[in-house]
Amino acid sequence: AQTVTQSQPEMSVQEAETVTLSCTYDTSESDYYLFWYKQPPSRQMILVIRQEAYKQQNATENRFSVNFQKAAKSFSLKISDSQLGDAAMYFCAYRKARGDYKLSFGAGTTVTVRA
Amino acid sequence: GAGVSQSPSNKVTEKGKDVELRCDPISGHTALYWYRQRLGQGLEFLIYFQGNSAPDKSGLPSDRFSAERTGESVSTLTIQRTQQEDSAVYLCASSRAPGTGVGNEQFFGPGTRLTVL
């Protein structure tokens, strides 16, 4: 079974500053996908960024970037130039590349942005 | 509709009652997933549909939980004889297909908050 661990229940960041959220995972698979989802108070899960395990290059989406360390099974999310709208719960998720389509989620990190 | 919709948005019920939660996936999405999110926790997988068959029911916590899907459309999650431990947000997601492509992103609905008194 795959487990996803987010060790930071809460993080606070000043507006315009940078915050990094940690995620580690456990798997015996060599090919898989990793995701960061954002969940604001509306409960709507929004995909922020995805990473294919076979790609060495770290994914980037505007102000969001990841640091994917496959050997260490680590997948951190960096939010640059934080905005008030970034305040939400962030979940790290894992999915096998084949044979199993469900997402396995970490417990989440609540991000607060200070004005 | 443009996105995944779920109803009701909130449901309060008494212990022992049955409840039905509904999910309308994005049109054309063949794969549908149900997840449960307990307060302050991550999402737990419940069941996955491909069309109207459910090849993976491994996450259903007990035989009080069941789900069905009509064709490649609406799905209903039923919880019988609800218990207080069933209180959670139930989220539905759909994707174009369950294939391995990274493009088969799961799009989530806003969830149903179930409270069992």
Side-chain angles (χ1 to χ4, degrees), chain A residues 33 35 37 39 42-45 47 50-52 89 91 95 97-108, chain B residues 9-10 33 35 37 40-43 45 48 56 58 89 91 98-102 105-106 108-111 113:
Chain A
Y33 301 115
F35 307 85
Y37 280 88
Q39 187 181 43
S42 68
R43 300 197 304 247
Q44 187 78 49
M45 295 285 283
L47 179 63
R50 67 168 69 90
Q51 174 82 42
E52 296 99 308
M89 192 106 167
F91 292 95
R95 190 185 64 143
R98 59 189 58 82
D100 186 359
Y101 310 115
K102 59 180 176 276
L103 291 165
S104 298
F105 286 86
Chain B
S9 178
N10 292 282
Y33 314 78
Y35 295 86
Q37 184 179 23
Q41 297 184 22
L43 282 67
F45 168 80
Y48 148 65
D56 189 349
S58 62
V89 174
L91 290 142
T100 59
V102 70
E105 173 187 342
Q106 292 185 26
F108 284 82
R113 182 180 299 280

Side-chain angles (χ1 to χ4, degrees), chain A residues 95 100-103 105, chain B residues 4 6 23 25 29-36 43-50 56 67 69 75 77 90-99 104-109:
Chain A
R95 190 185 64 143
D100 186 359
Y101 310 115
K102 59 180 176 276
L103 291 165
F105 286 86
Chain B
V4 179
Q6 292 187 246
C23 172
H29 280 195
T30 63
L32 186 147
Y33 314 78
W34 283 97
Y35 295 86
R36 177 173 71 178
L43 282 67
E44 307 168 78
F45 168 80
L46 296 179
I47 187 170
Y48 148 65
F49 285 93
Q50 173 54 28
D56 189 349
R69 186 179 185 196
S75 176
L77 176 68
Y90 290 83
L91 290 142
C92 174
S94 70
S95 65
R96 284 200 308 270
N104 285 319
E105 173 187 342
Q106 292 185 26
F107 292 84
F108 284 82

Side-chain angles (χ1 to χ4, degrees), chain B residues 19-92:
Chain B
V19 294
E20 285 189 353
L21 312 180
R22 176 187 170 106
C23 172
D24 281 272
I26 293 171
S27 179
H29 280 195
T30 63
L32 186 147
Y33 314 78
W34 283 97
Y35 295 86
R36 177 173 71 178
Q37 184 179 23
R38 289 196 163 120
L39 184 64
Q41 297 184 22
L43 282 67
E44 307 168 78
F45 168 80
L46 296 179
I47 187 170
Y48 148 65
F49 285 93
Q50 173 54 28
N52 62 6
S53 66
D56 189 349
K57 306 178 183 179
S58 62
L60 293 178
S62 76
D63 59 6
R64 295 187 297 105
F65 288 71
S66 62
E68 58 182 31
R69 186 179 185 196
T70 307
E72 294 182 353
S73 184
V74 172
S75 176
T76 302
L77 176 68
T78 301
I79 309 173
Q80 296 179 309
R81 305 181 302 282
T82 52
Q83 303 294 314
Q84 289 181 333
E85 68 209 39
D86 300 333
S87 295
V89 174
Y90 290 83
L91 290 142
C92 174

Side-chain angles (χ1 to χ4, degrees), chain A residues 19 34-38 46-52 55 57-67 75-83 86 90, chain B residues 102-103 105:
Chain A
V19 64
L34 296 165
F35 307 85
W36 280 98
Y37 280 88
K38 171 184 178 181
I46 302 163
L47 179 63
V48 174
I49 199 166
R50 67 168 69 90
Q51 174 82 42
E52 296 99 308
K55 288 187 177 179
Q57 186 174 6
N58 289 322
T60 299
E61 288 287 342
N62 301 312
R63 297 182 295 106
F64 298 87
S65 61
V66 298
N67 183 3
F75 182 60
S76 62
L77 174 70
K78 184 170 78 172
I79 307 173
S80 303
D81 185 24
S82 297
Q83 300 175 0
D86 295 334
Y90 287 80
Chain B
V102 70
E105 173 187 342

